[in-house]
Amino acid sequence: MAKKTKKEEVEVPVVETPVVETPKPKKVEPKKPKWEIKDRMYYLKGGKKPVSRSIKSANIYWFDEEKGYERELKYCQNQKTSFVDEMKGDQRLEHIIFRSGALFIPKEKTVLQKLLSLYHPDKNKIYEEYMPARIAESEIDWLEMEISALNAAQALDIDMAEAVMRVEIGSEVSKMSSKELKRDLLLYAKKNPQLFLDLVNDDNVQLRNFGIKATEMGILKLSSDQRTFSWGSNDRKLMNVPFDEHPYSALAAWFKTDEGMEIYSNIEKRLN
């Protein structure tokens, strides 16, 4: 009888999978804005145009956030920097003078340009750099606001138009024809678009106009000391004007109360 042989044990090699480390993303430092080499123009603020106007070219300090301290600045014609701690050799101080309110600096004078555009403490206080793109952006904002105001003026009904114009010209608005009112409304919207839009969106403007019309027609009466509103027909007191408030502003606010809403409805029927 044949003997059974033991099965030979076969070792299976274990393959280790290498661990791949995910590389950490590198921290991207924000790039500093690149200085553009070009001619630059600077103007005194407020449209001032004196024959000459000097600004400080020495004893100026600018806080350097990277270094953590203030650095002295000086404009010297023979130096390649405006930072005193970077200067080498003699320092020939140069004046900075605006002529007739303007100062033109050619692209070759980069040191002076950077001093005025980046570091000088009088920037945007005494003078400003001419920025065509920024001016264009501001003009576009104004034109868009003007268009919005004119569109709003065109869409206003006669009562609201009268209310807005009463703020501008007072009781004279009652003597205007509808064509005159529309014309002046459009001119006002074009001249003062922001103020016009504010008035259009102010609920109290129409309520003030309502109160003024009621007083002009004798439905309401305002006392000579402008402290009391009463009925024009029987002098019955309706409300007292709080101290230091404009009477018609106070009346507009009162029209929003429960008692005031009833009086408003009563006056509205008489006006119509």
Side-chain angles (χ1 to χ4, degrees), residues 15-21:
V15 180
E16 294 184 359
T17 305
V19 178
V20 180
E21 292 186 2

Side-chain angles (χ1 to χ4, degrees), residues 121-137:
D122 290 336
K123 182 191 174 187
N124 295 329
K125 294 178 182 177
I126 294 177
Y127 71 90
E128 59 189 354
E129 183 178 351
Y130 176 64
M131 297 282 196
R134 194 175 298 170
I135 292 171
E137 184 180 347

Side-chain angles (χ1 to χ4, degrees), residues 4 29 31-32 46 67 73 82 86 95 99-101 109 144 151 159 162 165 167 172 205 221 238 256 260:
K4 291 183 180 180
E29 295 290 338
K31 291 183 179 180
K32 292 183 179 179
K67 296 182 180 296
L73 296 162
S82 57
E86 294 178 355
H95 295 293
R99 306 284 184 185
S100 299
K109 294 192 174 184
E144 288 177 347
N151 287 336
D159 290 333
E162 182 182 302
M165 289 309 299
V167 175
E172 290 296 314
V205 168
K221 185 189 293 183
L238 294 174
K256 295 179 179 180

Side-chain angles (χ1 to χ4, degrees), residues 138-177:
S138 177
E139 288 176 347
I140 288 171
D141 290 342
W142 178 266
L143 288 170
E144 288 177 347
M145 188 189 303
E146 194 175 283
I147 291 168
S148 297
L150 287 169
N151 287 336
Q154 192 68 35
L156 282 188
D157 59 44
I158 194 70
D159 290 333
M160 190 60 185
E162 182 182 302
V164 171
M165 289 309 299
R166 193 179 292 279
V167 175
E168 176 68 5
I169 61 177
S171 59
E172 290 296 314
V173 74
S174 301
K175 303 174 185 177
M176 298 173 70
S177 67

